[in-house]
Amino acid sequence: MSDPFQKLISYTQASQEKYGASASALFIIQDGHAVMEWYSGQHHFKSGARGSDAEQIYGEL
């Protein structure tokens, strides 16, 4: 896989599982510009929880 952030994403996913978090996210800024966004999971463990993605955080894109 050519994604330079794949190891960081894998580490974050493993941490989410290890610590029992319902969601995790990465937002990387370089030289004042967003270069990567990644979201996984839901806001809580109950049925009907909102997903954790850019649309949920910023509104309709």
Side-chain angles (χ1 to χ4, degrees):
M1 187 171 275
S2 63
D3 183 355
F5 300 109
Q6 189 54 50
K7 285 185 179 181
L8 183 58
I9 290 169
S10 295
Y11 176 82
T12 304
Q13 283 180 314
S15 296
Q16 176 184 345
E17 293 173 16
K18 179 179 179 179
Y19 297 111
S22 65
S24 58
L26 292 171
F27 189 85
I28 299 176
I29 300 170
Q30 181 179 17
D31 298 326
H33 301 282
V35 294
M36 197 276 279
E37 287 183 68
W38 173 87
Y39 304 91
S40 173
Q42 299 178 317
H43 283 249
H44 53 77
F45 291 112
K46 296 177 184 176
S47 177
R50 293 186 311 159
S52 60
D53 58 22
E55 185 174 327
Q56 293 295 330
I57 292 174
Y58 301 119
E60 190 173 329
L61 298 176

